[in-house]
């Protein structure tokens, strides 16, 4: 998890998955392991569905990526957010054997109903993890390990560090540690029937590490129901992946998140024009601040101030003939997005004519174009015009000390995390096409 000065990433609020829940499948060791495919959902959800830890921004309108899992014995179907920017998986746990009657179906885990549920004792190695933002503590009375989440409103939530079995398809069930949290949640009609978060970074308590999964990948669709998540190894000849190495400094640095999926940003282009950004601005400094993280749990992308200013100036210049700028120095959507435009109400912006923004890495690039460039600010009007903002935010306004690439800019892009070779692979692809091809292959 990020150190304190990185603790402002956007919490992507949790959403229901419409598909029938399916078990997580984790690869067995060895070259013959068969990868597993299951749906990855993207949904817009209301604010307030679950508490927000300070490591994620409190946005009012968010999209989450959710997967459906089977946990416990007998198995309980739960829906969790897939977050490559977090370590500790956690579930909202009902206080007794029965779920809260006011909660949506699947919105909590009934720990007392699982015969394989076990609290982690204080003396265990898991209770001594140094990767979590707040170290676990010991309940002296019960001698059980406790974990805490601190929320953006200043409140906290405590829970037991526990283990239980996660369904792994036709492989043996996986026993995994997670936080069994007792936080309140929104049970209104607009609430979200989601039980928790699946931590997928490189920390010792992440699901990836505990499952010994050395490669996983996903495709985030621009539709709600066509995403796909693949756990395990697979050769995908129809996906010509370009790889960029994960970046790791030789020595520990105070503001470098060592368990994040960090890559090296080397340049940015707008409409094919390179921005005049010094290489030193795009690289981590001597403290570790300035790393670039790929995060499925953040919606939009954040650039540090100097890079953002260069992007803003060039994007406004190239779009001047197409869109009138908002020209309101006092307005910033969610306090970080101030490159905004006026678009007549009821009309979409001219997306196909907007200049693409390309993020350049060593050996790979990510191009953001069309509908992914602008976001309509809900409820914001200027006369007869709506307000649309560029989906790149100014990290300095949050503040953040890192570049963060959110999942909105990973749509229709195959993203592979290869921990064996220390690299991230990227390939443009339509997710529905990839899903069909994977169905035929696997």
């Amino acid at each position: 998890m990020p150190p304190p000065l990185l603790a402002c990433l956007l919490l992507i609020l949790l959403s229901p998955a419409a598909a029938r829940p399916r078990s997580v499948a984790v690869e067995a060791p060895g070259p013959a392991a068969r990868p597993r495919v299951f749906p990855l959902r993207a949904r817009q959800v209301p604010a307030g569905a679950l508490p927000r830890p300070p490591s994620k921004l409190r946005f009012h309108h968010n999209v989450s990526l959710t997967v459906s899992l089977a946990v416990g014995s007998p198995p309980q179907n739960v829906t969790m957010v897939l977050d490559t920017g977090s370590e500790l998986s956690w579930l909202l746990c009902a206080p007794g054997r029965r779920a809260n009657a006011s909660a949506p179906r699947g919105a909590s885990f009934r720990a007392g109903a699982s015969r394989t549920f076990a609290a982690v004792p204080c003396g265990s190695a898991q209770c001594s993890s140094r990767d979590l933002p707040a170290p676990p503590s010991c309940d002296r009375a019960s001698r059980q390990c406790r974990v805490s989440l601190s929320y953006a409103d200043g409140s906290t939530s405590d829970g037991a560090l526990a283990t239980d079995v996660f369904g792994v398809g036709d492989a043996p069930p996986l026993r995994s540690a997670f936080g069994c949290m007792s936080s309140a949640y929104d049970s209104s009609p607009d609430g979200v029937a989601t039980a928790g978060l699946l931590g997928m970074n490189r920390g010792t308590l992440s699901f990836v590490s505990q499952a010994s999964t050395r490669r996983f990948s996903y495709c985030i669709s621009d539709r709600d129901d066509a995403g796909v998540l693949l756990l395990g190894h697979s050769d995908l000849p129809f996906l010509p992946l370009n790889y960029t190495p994960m970046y790791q400094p030789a020595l520990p640095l105070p503001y470098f998140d060592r368990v994040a999926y960090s890559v090296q940003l080397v340049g940015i282009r707008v409409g094919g024009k390179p921005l005049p950004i010094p290489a030193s601005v795009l690289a981590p400094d001597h403290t570790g601040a300035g790393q670039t993280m790929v995060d499925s749990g953040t919606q939009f992308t954040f650039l540090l101030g100097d890079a953002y200013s260069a992007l803003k100036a060039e994007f406004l210049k190239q779009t001047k003939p197409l869109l009138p700028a908002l020209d309101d120095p006092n307005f910033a959507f969610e306090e970080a997005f101030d490159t905004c435009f006026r678009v007549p109400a009821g009309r979409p912006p001219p997306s196909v004519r907007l200049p693409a923004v390309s993020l350049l890495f060593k050996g790979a690039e990510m191009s953001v174009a069309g509908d992914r460039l602008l976001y309509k600010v809900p409820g914001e009007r200027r006369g007869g015009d709506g307000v649309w903002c560029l989906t790149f935010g100014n990290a300095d306004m949050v503040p953040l000390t890192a570049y963060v690439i959110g999942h909105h800019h990973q749509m229709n892009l195959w993203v592979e995390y290869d921990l064996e070779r220390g690299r991230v692979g990227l390939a443009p692809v339509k997710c529905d096409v990839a899903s069909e091809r994977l169905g035929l292959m696997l």
Side-chain angles (χ1 to χ4, degrees):
M1 293 296 292
L5 292 184
L6 290 178
C8 286
L9 300 183
L10 164 63
L11 174 67
I12 300 306
L13 299 180
L14 311 182
S15 73
R20 180 169 60 91
R22 299 171 66 175
S23 297
V24 175
V26 180
E27 65 198 276
R34 182 181 181 185
R36 302 304 174 110
V37 183
F38 56 98
L40 181 63
R41 304 275 174 179
R43 297 289 179 85
Q44 184 165 318
V45 297
L50 285 172
R52 269 80 56 193
S55 60
K56 301 287 181 179
L57 289 174
R58 183 194 293 269
F59 272 55
H60 298 305
H61 296 269
N62 302 290
V63 171
S64 66
L65 303 175
T66 61
V67 293
S68 295
L69 318 180
V71 183
S73 303
Q76 299 174 41
N77 294 323
V78 297
T79 300
M80 303 175 75
V81 162
L82 179 81
D83 190 355
T84 61
S86 293
E87 175 178 5
L88 182 66
S89 299
W90 53 269
L91 290 167
L92 287 175
C93 287
R97 294 180 61 85
R98 299 182 61 187
N100 188 324
S102 64
R105 181 176 177 84
S108 61
F109 175 68
R110 303 180 305 282
S114 173
R115 63 177 179 269
T116 48
F117 176 87
V120 172
C122 295
S124 73
Q126 293 166 323
C127 197
S128 303
S129 173
R130 297 182 179 181
D131 291 339
L132 301 178
S137 61
C138 181
D139 184 317
R140 294 184 179 180
S142 65
R143 303 301 300 167
Q144 292 179 355
C145 190
R146 307 289 295 182
V147 289
S148 295
L149 299 176
S150 298
Y151 302 140
D153 61 4
S155 62
T156 61
S157 172
D158 294 324
L161 185 61
T163 67
D164 210 329
V165 294
F166 285 66
V168 290
D170 54 4
L174 166 73
R175 178 166 287 277
S176 179
F178 64 96
C180 185
M181 313 307 289
S182 56
S183 304
Y185 50 89
D186 186 356
S187 59
S188 67
D190 291 332
V192 178
T194 309
L197 180 143
L198 192 67
M200 296 286 284
N201 73 9
R202 295 188 291 170
T204 56
L205 290 182
S206 76
F207 186 78
V208 170
S209 298
Q210 294 186 79
S212 299
T213 299
R214 304 304 296 162
R215 188 185 301 176
F216 69 97
S217 52
Y218 55 68
C219 189
I220 302 167
S221 177
D222 54 0
R223 307 201 325 253
D224 290 344
D225 58 354
V228 58
L229 171 66
L230 178 68
L231 295 181
H233 296 257
S234 182
D235 293 323
L236 305 173
F238 63 94
L239 286 175
L241 288 164
N242 292 313
Y243 288 96
T244 185
M246 294 183 195
Y247 177 79
Q248 191 79 17
L251 298 174
L253 298 175
Y255 300 124
F256 189 93
D257 184 351
R258 62 186 179 82
V259 293
Y261 296 104
S262 184
V263 295
Q264 192 159 346
L265 183 63
V266 297
I268 302 175
R269 291 197 301 255
V270 177
K273 179 179 179 180
L275 298 181
I277 305 173
S280 60
V281 171
L282 301 175
D285 64 17
H286 66 284
T287 71
Q291 73 184 108
T292 299
M293 298 182 285
V294 185
D295 185 5
S296 70
T298 294
Q299 184 173 2
F300 298 123
T301 294
F302 293 85
L303 305 178
L304 293 180
D306 290 345
Y308 176 80
S309 296
L311 171 63
K312 177 179 180 178
E314 185 61 31
F315 195 83
L316 286 172
K317 178 181 177 181
Q318 294 191 29
T319 55
K320 188 174 182 179
L322 304 174
L323 287 171
L326 182 61
D327 287 333
D328 183 351
N330 297 316
F331 178 79
F333 173 55
E334 303 294 355
E335 301 180 357
F337 300 85
D338 65 352
T339 305
C340 302
F341 305 88
R342 298 175 60 149
V343 178
R347 297 185 190 176
S351 299
V352 295
R353 300 168 60 193
L354 296 176
V357 177
S358 297
L359 304 177
L360 310 179
F361 311 100
K362 288 185 175 181
E365 71 175 77
M366 180 183 297
S367 182
V368 180
D371 294 339
R372 291 179 294 156
L373 285 166
L374 298 181
Y375 180 82
K376 185 178 182 180
V377 180
E380 197 71 31
R381 298 288 291 270
R382 295 295 189 277
D385 296 336
V387 175
W388 294 68
C389 295
L390 182 65
T391 51
F392 289 82
N394 187 345
D396 290 4
M397 295 171 67
V398 176
L400 276 167
T401 58
Y403 296 88
V404 181
I405 301 171
H407 71 70
H408 183 77
H409 292 164
Q410 300 175 45
M411 287 183 179
N412 284 325
L413 186 73
W414 192 271
V415 183
E416 180 186 270
Y417 299 86
D418 184 350
L419 282 74
E420 282 185 332
R421 296 177 175 84
R423 60 186 186 173
V424 175
L426 304 173
V429 66
K430 293 292 290 184
C431 292
D432 53 352
V433 174
S435 299
E436 292 176 3
R437 295 292 297 272
L438 285 168
L440 291 174
M441 291 174 60
L442 303 177

